Amino acid sequence: MLVGRHSSVVQSSNRISRCLYELAARSQVSHSSWSSPTTSSSLTISRAASGSSTRWLTRQGRDPYTRASKLNALKSRAAFKLLEIDEKHHIFKPGQTVVDLGYAPGSWSQVAVSRVRPGGKGRGRVVGIDVIPAQPPKGVSTIQGDFLSPSIRQLVLEFVRDANAGRAIAHQSFARSGGNEDEVDEEPITEKTSDQEGDDQKQGRVVDVVLSDMMMNTSGNAFKDHAGSMDLCLAALSFSYDTLVSGGHFVCKYYQGGEEKDFETRLKTLFEKVHRIKPDSSRKESREAYFLGLRRKADTSKEIVFPP
């Protein structure tokens, strides 16, 4: 058992190293400045801590992804989930507009910034929305408010549809780093025609990637938590329908349960390819998983995705 656990930790360390190397390469940061976790750990726990707190702290101290996130100044271990998804499917590229729903504390936005490079030649931008006040990562524009509120959602729509909002004025040239073609999604990338681009502009579809890591406070009731996560997924999908460009991508966290199949069916009407993903960095005991919708179709009506 000890050997098996050691092997698992080493495999996790190798995956983290690959993700950090990819992040460093696309961020134009030397890989030598990133630190991968070791297989040993130490953690000082106060004697006054409760039993549940002690167990949580012990788990955090033993978790290689938590240690790696702290060593590399990432906002949280959740960064590795998005890094894994992008490492395989390459959803980001310089110059994109990315909207991160439920961005706090900001680890997914950190990954997005490293990919789309706000302030670079492509003038990418990352916009984060969350009801929780948080210090955003450098290069991220944020709106604090409840995304389910119609007024906040309208504010977000107006912001992303302003071509200059959230974009740096000064330009800086970056060398572009390619990915491993063997790990790119197997389906061919659909090139947008000028007609598609014009149609996107007319309909206010200006976002290239929508990320949703939104999650309500869990209750411990699996059915209730699943239903709540599906409501958030539907809100994120509705926003994506209104804002994603043709060929755009969608990533959404959900709690596994009975309604996920219906949501997957909706996604398949709007995207050319749909994946269910349980990243290696997601804890095995967690019910969380992710939907990935690749390449938004240009001509799907809203009534098909959201039947009356």
Side-chain angles (χ1 to χ4, degrees), residues 222-230 254-265 276 287 291:
F223 177 81
K224 181 178 179 181
D225 292 342
H226 167 66
S229 77
M230 287 293 99
Y254 69 98
Y255 271 12
Q256 299 173 66
E259 295 181 27
E260 65 187 73
K261 185 63 178 177
D262 177 67
F263 188 75
E264 182 179 26
T265 300
R276 294 193 201 194
R287 295 177 61 86
F291 277 117

Side-chain angles (χ1 to χ4, degrees), residues 26-265:
R26 296 199 184 189
S27 305
Q28 305 304 306
V29 177
S30 170
H31 181 230
S32 62
S33 66
W34 296 86
S35 301
S36 293
T38 61
T39 56
S40 62
S41 63
S42 61
L43 182 67
T44 302
I45 302 174
S46 169
R47 290 185 178 181
S50 67
S52 60
S53 297
T54 299
R55 288 192 296 273
W56 183 85
L57 288 169
T58 300
R59 184 183 69 175
Q60 292 294 93
R62 290 175 177 172
D63 179 28
Y65 292 100
T66 298
R67 295 202 305 275
S69 65
K70 292 182 182 298
L71 287 169
N72 295 286
L74 296 171
K75 293 281 188 177
S76 77
R77 70 189 301 283
F80 291 103
K81 301 170 188 177
L82 187 58
L83 283 166
E84 286 183 55
I85 292 171
D86 187 53
E87 182 185 24
K88 182 175 182 180
H89 299 284
H90 290 222
I91 61 176
F92 298 115
K93 63 182 179 181
Q96 288 177 323
T97 291
V98 178
V99 174
D100 185 1
L101 304 175
Y103 87 93
S107 59
W108 276 26
S109 288
Q110 281 181 301
V111 174
V113 164
S114 75
R115 299 306 201 241
V116 306
R117 302 171 192 165
K121 186 176 181 180
R123 300 189 71 208
R125 57 179 177 166
V126 179
V127 183
I129 300 93
D130 207 302
V131 69
I132 300 172
Q135 180 65 39
K138 184 178 180 181
V140 179
S141 302
T142 60
I143 296 173
Q144 184 185 344
D146 183 357
F147 179 71
L148 299 181
S149 165
S151 61
I152 295 298
R153 179 164 168 164
Q154 183 60 35
L155 183 62
V156 176
L157 287 172
E158 292 173 0
F159 187 91
V160 297
R161 287 170 176 169
D162 181 339
N164 294 313
R167 297 191 193 276
I169 297 175
H171 294 174
Q172 182 177 353
S173 178
F174 288 87
R176 186 167 181 173
S177 174
N180 185 339
E181 293 183 358
D182 292 337
E183 295 176 320
V184 179
D185 191 74
E186 295 178 357
E187 295 293 321
I189 295 175
T190 302
E191 296 293 337
K192 288 195 294 181
T193 66
S194 57
D195 288 342
Q196 287 176 339
E197 291 177 346
D199 191 49
D200 284 339
Q201 290 292 330
K202 288 178 184 177
Q203 299 190 47
R205 301 199 299 241
V206 296
V207 177
D208 298 287
V209 181
V210 171
L211 307 173
S212 175
D213 200 32
M214 293 190 293
M215 187 55 61
M216 68 291 155
N217 292 327
T218 55
S219 65
N221 181 306
F223 177 81
K224 181 178 179 181
D225 292 342
H226 167 66
S229 77
M230 287 293 99
D231 288 342
L232 294 175
C233 286
L234 282 170
L237 181 60
S238 176
F239 175 79
S240 298
Y241 184 91
D242 292 337
T243 61
L244 265 183
V245 299
S246 302
H249 309 308
F250 173 74
V251 182
C252 182
K253 178 166 74 176
Y254 69 98
Y255 271 12
Q256 299 173 66
E259 295 181 27
E260 65 187 73
K261 185 63 178 177
D262 177 67
F263 188 75
E264 182 179 26
T265 300

